[in-house]
Structure formats: C-alpha cells, structure tokens
Amino acid sequence: MWRSLRPIGRSDASGGYRRYAWTGADADCRLWFRMQAEARRLDVETDRNGNQWAWLGDPAAGDAVVTGSHLDSVPDGGAFDGPLGVVSAFAALDELRARGVSFRRPLAIVNFGDEEGARFGLACVGSRLAAGQLTKEKAFELRDADGISLPEAMEAAGHDPESIGADPERLARVGAFVELHVEQGRALDLSGDPVGIASAIWPHGRWRLDFHGEANHAGTTRLVDRRDPMLPYAETVLAARRAAELEGAVATFGKIAVEPNGVNAIPSLVRGWLDLRAADEATLSATLGGIHTAALEHAERHGVDLALTRESYTPVIDFQDALRDELARILAGSLGKVPVLGTGAGHDAGILSASVPTAMLFVRNPTGVSHSPAESAAEDDCVAGVRALADVLEDLACR
Ligand code: HGY
Ligand code: MN
Ligand code: MN
C-alpha cells in the first residue's frame, strides 16, 4: 500500500506531500482508496460531503464500527499524518480476515475529505460538514489563495456542492469510530511504548490578523513618515511567543501574505495567520487576549490599523471514557498498560466525538516531528499499530 501511495502529490524538491483538497493529487488519493477498497471487495461510496466510505456488510444495518483517517496533507507534509490511519485500517481488515473472524456488525473504512484545511483555511471540512459543525452557507464562503471558492473546487473535481451539509442519518449508522494516527509529539518515544490511546484534544483555533498601513517608496520615505505594517506584525510575532510562554500555551505564525509584496515598497498590508492551542480554554483565551492587546498597541504606535478575525475554533475534546477504557482493556492483553495521552493536534475524530462514540490510537513517532517531510514512524511500530487496531476492531465488531 505504501509503495502505491508514496508518489501521489509528492514534491521532489522538498520530499514532502502537497495533497490539497479537490486537486489532482487529492483525486489520485481518492482513486487509490477506491482501488484498495475494491481489491478487498468492499462497497465504496462518497458521501454528500466528499468523504469516502468503504463498507463490509450492510451500511443501513446500523451500529457500524468505523475506522480510518484522512489522505490530504499540509503544505510539504509528511507521509504518515493521515495516511497511516487509512493504510492501517485496510491492513487491520486483512489481519482480521487472516484470523478468520466473522463480523457481527458492519465495518467501514473512511477517508475524510480536507482534514488539514491547507487550501481553504479551515481544518476538518468533511467531518465538520457531516457533523453539522459547519453550515453549507459558511462552507460556500471559503476561498483558496487564488480566489477559487470551495463549491467551485468541488464542482471542478466532479462533486456536487449543492448537496453538502449535515448528514445525521449517516452518522447515526456509526456505533463507534476509532481513528489511528501517527503521534505528533514524543510522548510515546519518551515512555518507550509503540502505541498509545488518546485522552483529549486541546482546544485550538486559527485567527487572521490584518495590519493595514500605507504603501510607499522604500528609498524616499523618511522613517518617521512611514506607516509600515511589517513592524507591528513583527512585534506581534514576538509578543505571541512571550504570551504563550507566560500562559503555557503554543502560538505559531506559520503563514503570511504581504501586499504588494515588492522588495522596494513599504507594504500596504501584512496579513498573518495565528495558530493558537492550549490544554484548556481559559489558558487559550488568556493567551489570545495578551496577543491581541500587544498587537493593538504595536499597531497604534506605528499608525497602522489592525483587524482580528477568528477563522476557526475547536473547543476542548474529551474522548468518551467508556470507549477509551474499552480500548485500554482490549489492548492490555497484548501490550500491557497502554499510555493515555492528550494532544495539541486536531483530528476528524475530535469533530465526530460530538455525534458518535469515538476513540483514537497513536503510533510512536521516534522524533515527534510532524507537518514536515521529516515525519517518520518505524515499520515495527506501524505493525504494532495495525495489530492493536485489529484487536480493537475484532473486539468491537466480531464479539
Ligand atoms: O492542524 C492540526 O492539528 C491537524 O493536523 N489538522
Ligand atoms: Mn495534520
Ligand atoms: Mn492528521
């Protein structure tokens, strides 16, 4: 499976993946998913929101056990964030068939669309739409960097955008969703465990800061006459770091747009995107408050206008104790005591957890690096992840 997935959307220059929603690379990932499913005699369907499902058994029977993740990536993402969950799902099914089990509940493998939000700025679009956490109206307002709207991109990729929106009937068929994911930190490496179970996802969000100044000549405009938005932007980046340190949060400016983006012009606009996460909502909001106050002060000092816009927010997710404890019990036989970890990374499982009993398994990441071409996982650990997922699916779907 990895061999056929590996070339799709891979940049030779960086060695990272550029698999953005509703692009050619995304279509190739979807075709890959279909071929894997059909090779296993599963029934494939794409739901109204562009998520792919591969079914073993009758979807309408209800109480299905569902596993899977996403195949899209961040800009220059690693090979495992998302795909490890999908590959492991197919491999776990192969393992269960090799064990000769019979299924008591329907089983589905899912590929959620646009988890990373790399193109349209909002993460987990496929699962948010299905779960009713993103309306069709709001989704229709999303645009990529070239001004192409989400419905235009869907249509160009052959998906009817008119049918998107909450899909409670489909989610009502799901009795349990288990997402396996590469760990995006070093907790398992430090504890010496190949596999972990998720306890919670930190609250997190994305904010856009627009610093509006005045374009002017870089050679002839006296420093005192400038209204240069780059200066308060730069000071805000440093203030965000200090606020995060003070409050115990993480704050990142990883994307910036500058207008007119000329080397010999003072910018008229600097637009920076803030990704902010913390273990609890009070910490997150205190950190945001500190950053906003600092940004306003710096903007004012430089004669620059500032507008802050919240582009997305995901509250804290505490995975259901019952299913989480069930996973710990199932895995105790083969792995002993499995660590239970919180994470600062967002997942479709977090979105679904409001509608469906949901749990997550993490597979050790030896460096902790993720959202980078350097992301890695050892083959033995991936195999341990597949076995753990197969044990969980067998217990849930076959007993
Ligand atoms: O950004 C995130 O946390 C996720 O990987 N979508
Ligand atoms: Mn990711
Ligand atoms: Mn992911």
Side-chain angles (χ1 to χ4, degrees):
M1 281 188 270
W2 287 116
R3 204 170 302 124
S4 52
L5 193 54
R6 190 181 143 81
I8 301 176
R10 187 169 183 276
S11 154
D12 286 338
S14 68
Y17 287 94
R18 299 174 183 174
R19 296 168 175 162
Y20 311 142
W22 306 111
T23 61
D26 188 46
D28 290 346
C29 286
R30 289 166 178 275
L31 181 62
W32 177 91
F33 181 90
R34 176 174 288 279
M35 287 167 65
Q36 293 299 328
E38 286 175 357
R40 290 170 176 81
R41 301 179 310 281
L42 306 177
D43 297 319
V44 184
E45 53 175 351
T46 303
D47 71 18
R48 295 195 275 111
N49 296 303
N51 307 305
Q52 284 181 298
W53 301 73
W55 286 96
L56 177 71
D58 178 9
D63 202 27
V65 177
V66 180
T67 185
S69 189
H70 62 96
L71 294 174
D72 69 316
S73 78
V74 296
D76 286 331
F80 299 94
D81 176 358
L84 184 63
V86 180
V87 168
S88 298
F90 285 120
L93 173 61
D94 296 344
E95 165 73 9
L96 291 179
R97 282 175 164 161
R99 287 180 192 176
V101 301
S102 40
F103 290 88
R104 215 174 35 75
R105 296 164 73 177
L107 180 81
I109 296 173
V110 63
N111 167 30
F112 282 108
D114 199 2
E115 194 275 345
E116 297 287 8
R119 182 170 176 194
F120 296 100
L122 178 65
C124 300
V125 169
S127 57
R128 273 186 216 274
L129 281 167
Q133 296 177 31
L134 169 66
T135 61
K136 179 178 171 182
E137 290 67 35
K138 284 275 169 226
F140 268 48
E141 289 169 11
L142 296 172
R143 286 184 182 275
D144 71 7
D146 298 322
I148 299 170
S149 70
L150 177 65
E152 286 165 350
M154 281 182 166
E155 199 142 31
H159 186 79
D160 175 14
E162 287 306 325
S163 64
I164 66 172
D167 199 351
E169 301 83 25
R170 175 172 296 272
L171 294 189
R173 297 168 173 177
V174 181
F177 175 58
V178 181
E179 179 171 0
L180 177 147
H181 204 280
V182 69
E183 200 205 340
Q184 297 171 290
R186 288 193 55 214
L188 294 174
D189 184 52
L190 294 172
S191 70
D193 295 281
V195 173
I197 298 172
S199 57
I201 296 179
W202 287 12
H204 57 283
R206 299 178 183 184
W207 288 262
R208 194 181 76 233
L209 286 82
D210 292 331
F211 294 90
H212 292 273
E214 184 180 50
N216 211 331
H217 196 290
T220 58
T221 316
R222 297 188 311 159
L223 294 178
V224 291
D225 291 337
R226 296 180 181 211
R227 292 174 51 219
D228 181 350
M230 190 61 83
L231 300 173
Y233 169 71
E235 286 172 306
T236 301
V237 174
L238 300 177
R241 169 69 184 229
R242 279 192 296 273
E245 275 166 359
L246 186 73
E247 302 288 349
V250 286
T252 309
F253 281 94
K255 180 175 168 182
I256 180 174
V258 180
E259 289 177 16
N261 212 22
V263 70
N264 54 354
I266 298 160
S268 57
L269 170 71
V270 173
R271 174 169 283 165
W273 280 265
L274 169 68
D275 179 306
L276 187 58
R277 311 186 190 211
D280 60 79
E281 297 186 9
T283 304
L284 189 139
S285 102
T287 313
L288 179 65
I291 297 169
H292 192 196
T293 304
L296 285 169
E297 281 169 11
H298 291 303
E300 194 183 349
R301 203 152 44 75
H302 292 285
V304 164
D305 295 324
L306 169 67
L308 177 84
T309 308
R310 188 175 91 176
E311 291 198 336
S312 69
Y313 183 74
T314 307
V316 66
I317 308 292
D318 279 308
F319 287 110
Q320 217 197 44
D321 289 351
L323 188 57
R324 189 173 90 193
D325 294 349
E326 184 78 1
L327 261 57
R329 182 192 60 73
I330 296 166
L331 297 180
S334 50
L335 293 171
K337 196 169 157 38
V338 174
V340 179
L341 334 162
T343 176
H347 300 285
D348 295 305
I351 303 297
L352 286 203
S353 70
S355 318
V356 172
T358 299
M360 289 191 76
L361 292 174
F362 291 127
V363 170
R364 173 162 51 193
N365 176 332
T367 61
V369 172
S370 188
H371 286 187
S372 153
E375 182 183 71
S376 69
E379 189 170 326
D380 284 352
D381 290 346
C382 294
V383 171
V386 170
R387 291 216 173 96
L389 182 61
D391 289 348
V392 167
L393 298 177
E394 181 176 352
D395 202 282
L396 297 178
C398 308
R399 295 216 170 112

